[in-house]
């Protein structure tokens, strides 16, 4: 896909574009929609920033490889500089975006996608890119409102889509942390990859748990959200 005309080069690595949409999908959680300037692989990241202020931060792309818009999922961090300002952006406002980068990318082989909170973003991109048919998704959140895109995952993935809620109970949601769910599994497949995306604490704890349960270190692929 070629570059859109609706951009200017900001510096050596950033482009300035006009925001298309800013949707709050849960309290304090937003999806930004930007003009898509480059091709990308599902799971990759871009740097996002504003023309004024602090350096840009990396965010996973949250849209399919064939979609016309590039989308970013984020939650507002208390005391942060960037995310409170991103949450206030209106369509037409200027935002900075880099070219896609990173090798946290999926393929069509069977695998487990393990995410906490907004760490579901790269897996949603993979799902929207047609890679979900032989995957198991384990998504952890504190509250029932934290299972972003569940209305799309559930009909297609059915029992292979597992929600783990630590603070609330509801329906067929597993009550407990995602690490507790994984600990309860007796026969995790040792020949499949486990992709982990979330906070440093979750990634480290889950990686150590999987290794204890016999998953080879080389089959664990991690992306950390700060």
């Amino acid at each position: 896909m070629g570059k859109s005309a609706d951009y200017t080069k900001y510096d050596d690595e950033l482009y300035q574009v006009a925001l298309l949409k800013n949707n709050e999908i849960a309290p304090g959680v937003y999806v930004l929609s930007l003009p898509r300037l480059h091709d990308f692989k599902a799971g990759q990241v871009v740097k996002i920033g504003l023309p004024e202020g602090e350096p840009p931060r990396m965010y996973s792309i949250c849209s399919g490889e064939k979609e016309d818009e590039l989308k970013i999922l984020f939650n507002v961090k208390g005391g942060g500089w960037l995310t409170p300002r991103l949450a206030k952006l209106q369509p037409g406002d200027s935002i900075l975006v880099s070219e896609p980068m990173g090798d946290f990318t999926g393929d069509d082989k069977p695998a487990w996608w393990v995410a906490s909170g907004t760490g579901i973003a790269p897996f949603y991109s993979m799902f929207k890119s047609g890679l979900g048919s032989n995957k198991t998704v384990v998504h952890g959140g504190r509250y029932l409102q934290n299972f972003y895109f569940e209305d799309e995952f559930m009909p297609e993935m059915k029992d292979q889509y597992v929600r783990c809620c630590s603070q609330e109970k509801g329906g067929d949601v597993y009550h407990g942390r995602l690490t507790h769910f994984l600990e309860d599994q007796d026969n995790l497949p040792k020949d499949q990859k486990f992709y982990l995306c979330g906070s440093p604490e979750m990634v480290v704890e889950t990686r150590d748990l999987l290794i204890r349960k016999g998953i080879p270190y080389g089959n664990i692929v991690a992306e950390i959200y700060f």
Side-chain angles (χ1 to χ4, degrees):
M1 179 176 292
K3 295 177 182 176
S4 161
D6 189 20
Y7 77 95
T8 57
K9 198 72 188 290
Y10 182 78
D11 60 22
D12 288 342
E13 64 174 5
L14 296 171
Y15 299 84
Q16 184 168 309
V17 300
L19 183 69
L20 299 176
K21 302 171 195 169
N22 190 7
N23 295 325
E24 187 174 16
I25 63 170
V29 180
Y30 295 79
V31 174
L32 298 177
S33 297
L34 318 175
R36 174 176 168 166
L37 305 184
H38 306 92
D39 288 335
F40 64 88
K41 292 183 179 180
Q44 287 191 306
V45 302
V46 290
K47 292 182 179 179
I48 295 291
L50 296 174
E52 74 287 345
E54 297 188 1
R57 299 286 301 273
M58 287 188 179
Y59 293 90
S60 291
I61 297 170
C62 188
S63 46
E65 294 175 347
K66 302 301 183 183
E67 293 184 48
D68 293 333
E69 298 176 359
L70 185 143
K71 298 178 182 178
I72 301 297
L73 174 70
F74 73 94
N75 63 314
V76 176
K77 298 187 181 299
W81 186 90
L82 182 58
T83 55
R85 288 167 172 79
L86 292 179
K88 294 178 181 178
L89 291 180
Q90 299 295 318
D93 287 345
S94 293
I95 187 169
L96 304 178
V97 59
S98 73
E99 294 186 17
M101 63 191 80
D103 55 7
F104 186 79
T105 53
D107 55 34
D108 58 2
K109 297 177 182 178
W112 285 53
W113 296 341
V114 182
S116 60
T118 56
I120 196 67
F123 303 130
Y124 182 68
S125 177
M126 296 175 193
F127 173 76
K128 295 292 283 185
S129 300
L131 299 177
S133 63
N134 52 6
K135 305 300 189 296
T136 298
V137 177
V138 181
H139 189 192
R142 291 183 179 179
Y143 304 104
L144 295 174
Q145 66 188 17
N146 295 147
F147 300 113
Y148 320 121
F149 316 118
E150 62 181 344
D151 290 343
E152 295 179 67
F153 279 121
M154 289 177 66
E156 290 197 33
M157 307 201 71
K158 299 181 173 60
D159 291 344
Q160 299 305 110
Y161 172 59
V162 180
R163 294 163 294 167
C164 303
C165 189
S166 61
Q167 300 296 320
E168 294 182 319
K169 296 181 179 181
D172 58 353
V173 176
Y174 178 89
H175 182 53
R177 299 171 61 204
L178 68 84
T179 48
H180 296 160
F181 172 80
L182 292 171
E183 192 72 68
D184 288 344
Q185 306 310 301
D186 293 329
N187 296 300
L188 293 175
K190 297 178 175 58
D191 59 343
Q192 295 183 19
K193 285 190 175 181
F194 286 74
Y195 292 83
L196 316 180
C197 188
S199 68
E201 295 79 12
M202 185 283 281
V203 168
V204 170
E205 185 177 353
T206 303
R207 181 195 62 198
D208 292 348
L209 182 158
L210 293 174
I211 291 172
R212 288 198 310 270
K213 294 181 78 67
I215 306 301
Y217 181 83
N219 283 0
I220 303 171
V221 187
E223 184 92 323
I224 293 176
Y225 272 34
F226 291 95

